[in-house]
């Protein structure tokens, strides 16, 4: 069972505009961090779509999104101490969750918040952070869950680090809490 020390949060309304997620912050609309960062990898994605074709690319993207959503929800429910998190889950996603589970069990001292809405007036961006927790030996951390069809090289995932760093800035701006580290937990298919 995970111990929780939740922060008092303000929910943010989200809306999609031209395929991008925006969050309402007072009288402004801030783009999501992931929407802002997606432009950094657009060229590489466009090249990949040209190589494999639109139909195959859409199939792979949809499968990846579905896989990521399912594993993310299992991790979220697990850290929230919900029972029966594996009940009704597809067999392909359970091994991915099982890759992340031991790390959570061994390292989380306590949880601040799960899926916390964050924004920064300075960055003019917003988003939802997967997990903010106190981690053994690392202090207060931003933790992000990812899934992948293959192992990732560090230089392929700089967007992940930018996203987590943006959340760190938002935490300090909103809650005056310094984030000591960012952690990306990646579950890889067929590992």
């Amino acid at each position: 069972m995970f111990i929780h020390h939740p922060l008092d949060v303000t929910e943010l309304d989200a809306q999609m505009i031209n395929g991008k997620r925006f969050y309402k912050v007072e009288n402004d609309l801030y783009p999501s961090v992931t929407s802002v960062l997606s432009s950094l990898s657009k060229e590489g994605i466009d090249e990949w779509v040209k190589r494999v074709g639109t139909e195959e690319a859409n199939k792979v993207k949809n499968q990846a999104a579905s896989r990521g959503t399912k594993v993310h929800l299992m991790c979220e429910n697990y850290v929230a101490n919900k029972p029966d998190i594996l009940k009704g889950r597809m067999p392909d996603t359970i091994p991915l969750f099982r890759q992340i589970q031991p790390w959570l069990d061994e390292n989380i001292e306590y949880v601040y918040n799960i899926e916390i809405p964050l924004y920064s007036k300075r960055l003019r961006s917003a988003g939802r952070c997967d997990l903010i927790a106190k981690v053994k030996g690392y202090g207060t951390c931003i933790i992000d869950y990812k899934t992948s069809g293959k192992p990732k090289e560090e230089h392929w995932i700089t967007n992940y680090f930018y996203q987590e760093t943006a959340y760190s800035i938002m935490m300090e701006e909103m809650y005056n809490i310094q984030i000591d580290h960012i952690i990306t937990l990646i579950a890889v298919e067929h590992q």
Side-chain angles (χ1 to χ4, degrees):
M1 295 292 281
F2 293 96
I3 300 166
H4 289 249
H5 297 292
L7 301 169
D8 187 27
V9 301
T10 301
E11 208 40 65
L12 296 177
D13 291 325
Q15 55 187 282
M16 297 297 285
I17 301 173
N18 297 325
K20 304 281 186 186
R21 184 179 311 277
F22 286 80
Y23 291 91
K24 186 164 178 54
V25 177
E26 296 169 3
N27 293 323
D28 292 318
L29 284 177
Y30 288 172
S32 72
V33 174
T34 52
S35 292
V36 172
L37 293 174
S38 68
S39 64
L40 295 178
S41 59
K42 184 168 179 15
E43 184 179 311
I45 291 171
D46 290 345
E47 289 174 14
W48 170 71
V49 170
K50 284 180 188 172
R51 264 194 331 273
V52 302
T54 303
E55 186 176 329
E56 179 64 17
N58 286 337
K59 179 182 166 188
V60 170
K61 285 193 262 186
N62 290 336
Q63 287 173 340
S66 176
R67 173 189 67 216
T69 298
K70 291 172 186 173
V71 173
H72 181 279
L73 184 59
M74 289 166 51
C75 292
E76 182 180 324
N77 288 339
Y78 183 67
V79 173
N81 299 318
K82 293 186 178 176
D84 301 323
I85 63 157
L86 301 180
K87 187 176 182 179
R89 298 290 171 207
M90 297 301 292
D92 62 329
T93 57
I94 293 172
L96 293 169
F97 167 72
R98 294 276 192 224
Q99 290 177 40
I100 294 172
Q101 181 185 12
W103 189 94
L104 296 170
D105 290 339
E106 294 167 17
N107 293 288
I108 300 296
E109 290 184 11
Y110 59 86
V111 172
Y112 282 109
N113 288 79
I114 301 166
E115 280 295 310
I116 185 172
L118 297 170
Y119 67 87
S120 168
K121 291 183 178 184
R122 189 173 70 183
L123 298 177
R124 299 196 53 77
S125 188
R128 297 186 76 85
C129 178
D130 291 348
L131 178 62
I132 299 177
K134 178 82 182 232
V135 176
K136 290 178 187 168
Y138 288 94
T140 303
C141 299
I142 297 285
I143 301 168
D144 202 29
Y145 310 121
K146 302 290 187 187
T147 60
S148 178
K150 63 181 182 179
K152 301 280 190 188
E153 292 183 28
E154 189 171 322
H155 68 274
W156 296 346
I157 60 172
T158 53
N159 278 8
Y160 299 170
F161 306 142
Y162 295 152
Q163 176 186 7
E164 295 154 5
T165 300
Y167 292 151
S168 298
I169 292 167
M170 294 174 187
M171 277 296 292
E172 190 163 344
E173 186 176 321
M174 291 179 70
Y175 297 102
N176 200 31
I177 293 175
Q178 181 177 338
I179 298 299
D180 299 304
H181 291 277
I182 57 173
I183 297 172
T184 310
L185 301 176
I186 304 175
V188 181
E189 283 188 319
H190 315 297
Q191 287 290 327

